[in-house]
Amino acid sequence: MHEPATKPIMPKLPGPARLLHGGDYNPDQWLDSPDVLAQDIELMKKAGVNCVSLGIFAWAKLEPEESRYDLDWMAAIIDNLYDNGIYTILATPSGAKPNWLAHRYTEVCRVNRDGQRELPGERHNHCFTSPVYREKTRAINTVLAKRFADHPGVILWHLSNEYNGECYCSQCVDAFRLWLREKYGTMEKLNHQWWSAFWSHTITDWNQIYPPVPYGEKNVHALTLDWKRFVTHQTVDFMRQEIDALRAVCPDMPVTTNLMGFYPGLNYFKFKDDLDIVSWDNYPQWHTGDDVETAMVTAMAHDLMRSIKGEPFLLMESTPSMTNWQPFSKLKRPGMHMLSSMQAIAHGSNSVQYFQWRKSRGSSEKFHGAVVDHCGHGNTRVFRDVAELGSRMADLGFVADTAVRPDVAILYDWENRWAIDNARGPRNSGMHYVETVTDHYRPLWEMGINADIVDMECDLSRYKLVIAPMLYMYRAGIEQKLKDFVSGGGTLVGTYWSGVVNENDLCFLGGFPGGGMDEVFGIWAEEIDSLPDGQTNALVLESDRSVRYPVSELCELIHTRGAQVYATYERDFYAGMPVVTQNSYGNGEAWYLAAKADPAFLREFYRKLALARGITMAIDADLPHGVVASLRKGTSDLVFLQNYNNQDAIIMLPTTMKNMETGEAERTPVLGPYELMILEL
Amino acid sequence: MHEPATKPIMPKLPGPARLLHGGDYNPDQWLDSPDVLAQDIELMKKAGVNCVSLGIFAWAKLEPEESRYDLDWMAAIIDNLYDNGIYTILATPSGAKPNWLAHRYTEVCRVNRDGQRELPGERHNHCFTSPVYREKTRAINTVLAKRFADHPGVILWHLSNEYNGECYCSQCVDAFRLWLREKYGTMEKLNHQWWSAFWSHTITDWNQIYPPVPYGEKNVHALTLDWKRFVTHQTVDFMRQEIDALRAVCPDMPVTTNLMGFYPGLNYFKFKDDLDIVSWDNYPQWHTGDDVETAMVTAMAHDLMRSIKGEPFLLMESTPSMTNWQPFSKLKRPGMHMLSSMQAIAHGSNSVQYFQWRKSRGSSEKFHGAVVDHCGHGNTRVFRDVAELGSRMADLGFVADTAVRPDVAILYDWENRWAIDNARGPRNSGMHYVETVTDHYRPLWEMGINADIVDMECDLSRYKLVIAPMLYMYRAGIEQKLKDFVSGGGTLVGTYWSGVVNENDLCFLGGFPGGGMDEVFGIWAEEIDSLPDGQTNALVLESDRSVRYPVSELCELIHTRGAQVYATYERDFYAGMPVVTQNSYGNGEAWYLAAKADPAFLREFYRKLALARGITMAIDADLPHGVVASLRKGTSDLVFLQNYNNQDAIIMLPTTMKNMETGEAERTPVLGPYELMILEL
Amino acid sequence: MHEPATKPIMPKLPGPARLLHGGDYNPDQWLDSPDVLAQDIELMKKAGVNCVSLGIFAWAKLEPEESRYDLDWMAAIIDNLYDNGIYTILATPSGAKPNWLAHRYTEVCRVNRDGQRELPGERHNHCFTSPVYREKTRAINTVLAKRFADHPGVILWHLSNEYNGECYCSQCVDAFRLWLREKYGTMEKLNHQWWSAFWSHTITDWNQIYPPVPYGEKNVHALTLDWKRFVTHQTVDFMRQEIDALRAVCPDMPVTTNLMGFYPGLNYFKFKDDLDIVSWDNYPQWHTGDDVETAMVTAMAHDLMRSIKGEPFLLMESTPSMTNWQPFSKLKRPGMHMLSSMQAIAHGSNSVQYFQWRKSRGSSEKFHGAVVDHCGHGNTRVFRDVAELGSRMADLGFVADTAVRPDVAILYDWENRWAIDNARGPRNSGMHYVETVTDHYRPLWEMGINADIVDMECDLSRYKLVIAPMLYMYRAGIEQKLKDFVSGGGTLVGTYWSGVVNENDLCFLGGFPGGGMDEVFGIWAEEIDSLPDGQTNALVLESDRSVRYPVSELCELIHTRGAQVYATYERDFYAGMPVVTQNSYGNGEAWYLAAKADPAFLREFYRKLALARGITMAIDADLPHGVVASLRKGTSDLVFLQNYNNQDAIIMLPTTMKNMETGEAERTPVLGPYELMILEL
């Protein structure tokens, strides 16, 4: 997976245009305004747009009444775009149901968690199980494929839009029961794994099972977990049906769908085998908090999206100015549009696409940022920012020959997240799993160390360092993978609240971490103490007891079984007990952090570890706060130097490096506010 | 409309008693206690009560079983009141359904937003569409009118009680669809105005339309807006049916209904043609915050209610002590009952009425303030306060010959409010439309400048100054009215976020403010920046760049097209761009405030403007903080001087003025805590 | 009731083992692991366990399909326990329905407040009215009784589990209507008591009545109150059916059910006649706030539970470490397990039982504290703490010969609580009834004065001092009881907001406090002022006007009618009005506190009162903060000296006392952190 993409994924795309720039285009809203459509083309060319996403919400225009299709308008648009050098990513329109469809076939509308069938309207709310909806999407997808698959301008399928949500209709409930039968085989096995003897919940008939709802079962965590898995399964299954309809007509056209980063509702790793390309929609909220922190969180999301397939991805949506759904629609400050767009590329994207090309005139997204505003011309700050980026990207074709190849993997697992968040105890006011993963990502990002964000089903063998925070659940044979990884010479970092349950949330017996991982870490965990917000303890280094760092939230009381104690608790009745340990196992080593550590500790910890284990940094230099570097390797090794400060930053490079855009040699470059520079390593 | 009321609206009311004093009277709760009823009369006379509201919730007593009416008890009450010099405002009883009615005809009960038919009980919760409920109210209204319309003591109809709320039953949904057909004529027009191509929401059958509900469409803003309009329409339509039943019997008896100030759910301006008199229920929360601010907000509400018909109104409900539904039921401090009651009169009321005469013995309002407490006698602080006011009012008959006639109008438009509040973006955490209108009202109130609060359908030609904050939506031809107003010599003040959409929330194309208002203001607005709470920028005066005022929340980035720049932004990337501009247009001028300005700026701004444009002030003097003046004009011009401080205030009058109650001449009067004085101008 | 329990309540229990130690035991979850079951016995013996609660959630195992019973596994468990010296408290399994039962008979599932029938699952959610559920529980209870009642190891029935909640199904609604008919007899009486003329709510047919629900009536407080009473009635009625089934087989085996302290939903005093023993589940949250305050609140809950029958009770559940349902699962610090367990005994418990013996492997309580953790051995801190307590308790048999016998009663009445909390006004943001009762309990607890917590139906004649905070509602003839109590020489302390309504929330007429209690207190209350949070007034002692204490929240304006003024208000318009008064009545006296007083005032007030009225203190000494004493009287009078500080405390005893465990004489003992000492008085 880490090999550079040697053959193009989108075969129709010529080399020089491999970085895509453009966005969602909804001419279906303006078909009665030919002047607007003509102006669109002119403005796109001015803005350096070479690719649009078309037809995402156009079903009502494509099939204005049942089985009567009208694709001519779309053909004219695609032709015109292509004639002007603009490619089309063509959507399947399942994201929004036409009113006639929802009205005639109510089964396509979801039943919500309260048991209520939803009325027609909104979007992203069709039942994934409904045979009618599957048939109707198959039909329209087939029609679209037959008409447009061979068009030279159509380069990629954009499946639906931001698949999400759940349906609780009886067809979904039946499908869930069937999925459980296939998973468990027998009721006996299900009863054991769900530990249903508890509270007399023994299942004696598959039909006794219902999804977790507010007016039913909420406390059988294995049930809730299986329901979430089923939702992912059913969503992928629906997507696969969409793909099948397309493949039947045009087997070679690649497919993507636009994901949503750390969206909690779906395990995106389950999408990897069905998608040719991962793409995603990225909406950080700049300038309303700490921009450096926002940049870090955004970087991690890019890395997650890239890691799903381990290949370059596409930034499918972003806003050229602001959103209209966040608490404050703050404008992007000058420079930030360029920087935040290039950040995606630095982390492995081969595109910058927007939602949306032109602001719609009415309805709920009319105030969402767009390249073209309601004023209808290009004489705006936003348009100029976009055009500037388009112009720059046009010269960055060489970037598409490179890819991100980290030495480090952080384990982030959606099913683990579901299990931790759904559990009762040990800290109902906040376990903060994702935040903890982020805490471990932050120092790497600060040091210019690229990291993959992978789940338990991924291969770990290519990494030097694997970080596995709060690996509460062990599944997919992760224990064996980790043992192999460490014994093979790898370095593993684990934390408190690891190895507690199996894949069905059933506790390991005999002590935590279970599954034999106590041997890898050389410790066992007896109890876990939960501190209220604001309360802290501290860890004290064994090597220098004057050095202490705060710990908070969760403090595990562990005992060594062979591990060396690196730090101990400072206070409370467990003062002196180990809190950080190091254990040799095979040819590698495993660290255990028994309490939630402060960012300052993690920064020091990973700095030493990176040095000791020879982890690649983009630049071997101390960068000023808010300045970071990210690396793409390939025909050249490219360092993307990014300044997230709203002021100048002077960078002391370890050596003279070539500025890939100016060709000049840089040694102590000055980056202006929100400026980005591409250097050759 | 601004002419003094030369012929009496309530013909039966003799001259000397034209200021009404009394309140809601519920003898139907005490029919088995004749001693209580007898005592009521005695206490009313002691308290100076000359008018009560009767029968508001008496339906169960008036029609104890279907079609069997019992009005004799009411006749006896009305006779007895009249014999003792007390007039009756007679209610139609539709505010609360008898249990037998709700139980037999479930269609009269509302279906709530969740789609659930409500059970019998509560009040103000009948379906406005239900033919059964309309028939039953028609019948009881007819019976009441026939029996009591000719009674010399019955002076006014009190329609129902605080009409409010919504019903989502199928009859209402059908009525809504019909209303839409009548409004739009064709589905094509509706689809265009609703911009329904967005998200494939094209309507192909009127029956595909549902009201906005949590389990259905929530994001088609034009639909939501039309639903709110329909709710007002249907409420007025129901009210009109009530009126028709009464008019058929007694065409000359005037009607009112008790409104609720800035209540968000209904556009009260739509009531103006059907009501003979506007009345309203006023419940400020004194002494729990800043009393001066509370007084200002209350004054504005009085002005709004008065402006609906542009005539004197009635204060129909207020509490003589405290409510029982606010977070804290704090007692009115000594003097505040007098002052807050007289404030209503100062702003145009010809009455002070209470909810309620006597505390009910049980159920949910038993702890709501009343003239007579559970102890049952008049030896209480509250009773004495009421009697003192009654005695004073008896000498203020001359006030009824005067009315409020402002030079200034502030545009406050319910439909604009709905559109702003329902929109997504640009500041979902708070657009603060009503608060912003209030910010522009505050300095006028402080300076003793009377203002009308009008909507876009009102006539503006009589004013010197029109203030139109956040006029996001243009409807009812407001662009033309404003152009005529300014070109005719008027002064207009507008702000950011104006002229964005038409009456159906469809954006103007070509730049904001739309509808040609860019010419009136001489500017165009490119972007709008939204600041989180606590963040500010500042405006700097062009005339003196050392003078700066904070701006916050929303900062529009505008460009002049002929306007003069009065102030510019101080900071951020739009530093130096215009933030306050002034433009000559025809014989008048138009100011544009591009950011949410601080009260201190608005105070200075309007002070200068009032001076420059010759706006009438009640008193041409600097009043101490918390002391304000309000003016009623007529046979005499009366200045109501009010002290909202809990301490003495010395007033320097510009000239000697006559105290209308003592007859003495005042030059530097001292007002005690919460004291009020009536002076002749 | 205050006599020591001379004959044993649990006849099968031999003398030496009268203090029980053990907990909930769920072997039904481990029947396929005989090694686990064998280990359980070994570990129980190590931990000093002599009693377990069995079968609480075992219905699915006892009746795996309808009418097929399997009790052999349970028989083997009970035999084995008994053979090892461990008694069994046997549960009826109605707390959790088997899936087959809920699935086949949906009527056993509740209908919730939103009108929705709940799905199978969860627990504690059966309909109390359902004939089917009653029949099924009768059947299983009968089978259990026949099989196990004669077993020498089975000592007590544990009825169901934590009865709670409400059902709104049509069968419950019908039962409610019938209950109302029986209570009121005629609709006329109901209409009068509910004051239904208000808002035209007159009932003309019993079937017009519905329970209070969000989509129906919420504001008829008498209806809400009656509904809550009905819920208690129906719960007790269900419990009685369970008892009847058992009694029919084994009339002599005692019954208990585990209550939940101040749980708001049920009036536990209504359980007293049907239960032989009161037991309860106690889960304070140690170490997350002020431990001393937590200890005080916990002590009060023990006292309430004890007062229900006025006899020793059982602590049926507590956690040996932490819960998993509180916001933070903080570990019990060393010593706290011993101290908090012994606190129960100090306040009258004859047991320390746990939820749970062994952590379940899956589902929602798998992280709830237990004696045996997932690691499965006894080599843990928690196990050692439990074993230490077991060992100590084994030597405390003499404690079972003593009981708590207070001089003081505090009136806490669930129906009064419901009425206050449900009322609208005078302080909707918080009346704080329970907190106010607690405020009056605190100084007693600090001084080592034992108190009963009784309701209005209890006998007051045995006490010297009765404290009745916020006795808003008068019911059960409390006025006469209080008059008799005071005139007979007792001391009564009452407060503001007393004597306002009768038992149906109907206001007294003629002045508050009603029912003639104005004579007892010698005052009448005119108004009540409600202060926002943070605002205060103060009370000033008449005897020394330099002494002042804050008052807050509610300030009643009272007038004396014979009482002496002890303190007056300091500020505001009621400065100088009485706030604390004392009145002689018959041979006793009655104090009235017209405002919510500060803890510091109450501390001084009760100290003086205790001295003046000769109230018994456990130790006549000033104890350090956080150290308290509680007294059990009997063959010996035992003082339980408790240190809730996490540091040493030196106690100056008034005289030399015998340490009951060491036999040594103590004069100035030092108690370590969280240490407890038992002294003989």
Side-chain angles (χ1 to χ4, degrees), chain A residues 28 131 139 184-185 214 237 271 280 446 475 529 535 551 570 594 612 627:
Chain A
D28 36 308
Y184 290 104
D237 192 65
F271 287 62
W280 85 290
E446 290 172 343
R475 70 180 188 87
D529 197 26
Q535 285 190 14
V551 297
E570 182 189 58
V627 176

Side-chain angles (χ1 to χ4, degrees), chain A residues 456-675:
Chain A
M456 293 193 234
E457 297 183 24
C458 294
D459 175 28
L460 304 176
S461 62
R462 74 174 60 87
Y463 303 106
K464 292 182 180 172
L465 170 63
V466 169
I467 303 169
M470 293 178 76
L471 213 63
Y472 165 74
M473 169 183 285
Y474 283 172
R475 70 180 188 87
I478 191 67
E479 307 95 305
Q480 195 55 50
K481 274 187 217 173
L482 291 173
K483 286 175 197 168
D484 293 347
F485 171 73
V486 179
S487 62
T491 299
L492 170 66
V493 178
T495 76
Y496 57 95
W497 209 235
S498 285
V500 178
V501 297
N502 77 359
E503 67 179 3
N504 294 314
D505 207 45
L506 201 59
C507 287
F508 287 106
L509 301 180
F512 305 141
M517 286 300 292
D518 51 342
E519 287 182 35
V520 177
F521 289 112
I523 61 108
W524 78 277
E526 181 181 340
E527 294 183 273
I528 189 160
D529 197 26
S530 165
L531 305 185
D533 292 344
Q535 285 190 14
T536 57
N537 202 324
L539 64 81
V540 178
L541 296 194
E542 281 289 279
S543 58
D544 178 355
R545 299 189 60 83
S546 70
V547 181
R548 54 189 298 285
Y549 296 93
V551 297
S552 61
E553 294 196 359
L554 291 161
C555 295
E556 213 168 49
L557 279 56
I558 64 171
H559 306 272
T560 55
R561 281 182 175 165
Q564 283 194 292
V565 178
Y566 181 82
T568 57
Y569 284 108
E570 182 189 58
R571 294 194 303 273
D572 217 323
F573 74 90
Y574 40 91
M577 286 183 75
V579 57
V580 182
T581 61
Q582 176 186 18
N583 194 48
S584 293
Y585 182 85
N587 295 319
E589 69 180 21
W591 291 80
Y592 195 84
L593 279 57
K596 182 176 168 62
D598 188 66
F601 172 76
L602 294 173
R603 193 170 288 129
E604 279 310 297
F605 176 76
Y606 282 112
R607 183 170 298 276
K608 287 178 188 166
L609 210 55
L611 201 66
R613 308 297 291 179
I615 308 293
T616 305
M617 297 186 193
I619 293 180
D620 187 13
D622 270 340
L623 298 173
H625 176 76
V627 176
V628 293
S630 190
L631 187 63
R632 286 182 73 140
K633 292 184 183 176
T635 49
S636 300
D637 287 357
L638 305 175
V639 175
F640 289 74
L641 201 56
Q642 307 147 56
N643 179 17
Y644 290 99
N645 301 295
N646 192 12
Q647 56 186 33
D648 289 352
I650 305 173
I651 321 298
M652 307 293 183
L653 295 178
T655 174
T656 300
M657 297 171 80
K658 175 182 164 195
N659 184 321
M660 289 294 286
E661 293 174 286
T662 64
E664 299 192 356
E666 305 275 4
R667 185 65 198 257
T668 56
V670 177
L671 265 63
Y674 308 135
E675 201 181 327

Side-chain angles (χ1 to χ4, degrees), chain B residues 461-481:
Chain B
S461 62
R462 73 172 63 87
Y463 302 106
K464 293 181 179 173
L465 171 63
V466 169
I467 303 169
M470 293 178 75
L471 213 62
Y472 166 74
M473 169 184 284
Y474 283 171
R475 69 180 189 88
I478 190 68
E479 307 96 303
Q480 194 55 50
K481 275 188 217 172

Side-chain angles (χ1 to χ4, degrees), chain C residues 199-247:
Chain C
W199 288 359
S200 265
H201 284 179
T202 308
I203 300 292
T204 58
D205 185 307
W206 294 100
N207 290 331
Q208 289 165 0
I209 302 173
Y210 295 90
V213 290
Y215 61 101
E217 187 56 66
K218 294 167 290 291
N219 279 306
V220 175
H221 303 299
L223 161 65
T224 301
L225 196 57
D226 275 338
W227 171 255
K228 286 174 182 290
R229 286 173 174 138
F230 166 76
V231 169
T232 288
H233 169 271
Q234 203 70 351
T235 305
V236 170
D237 193 64
F238 179 86
M239 180 179 76
R240 201 174 287 143
Q241 300 257 346
E242 288 217 54
I243 296 170
D244 289 348
L246 302 173
R247 291 254 195 273

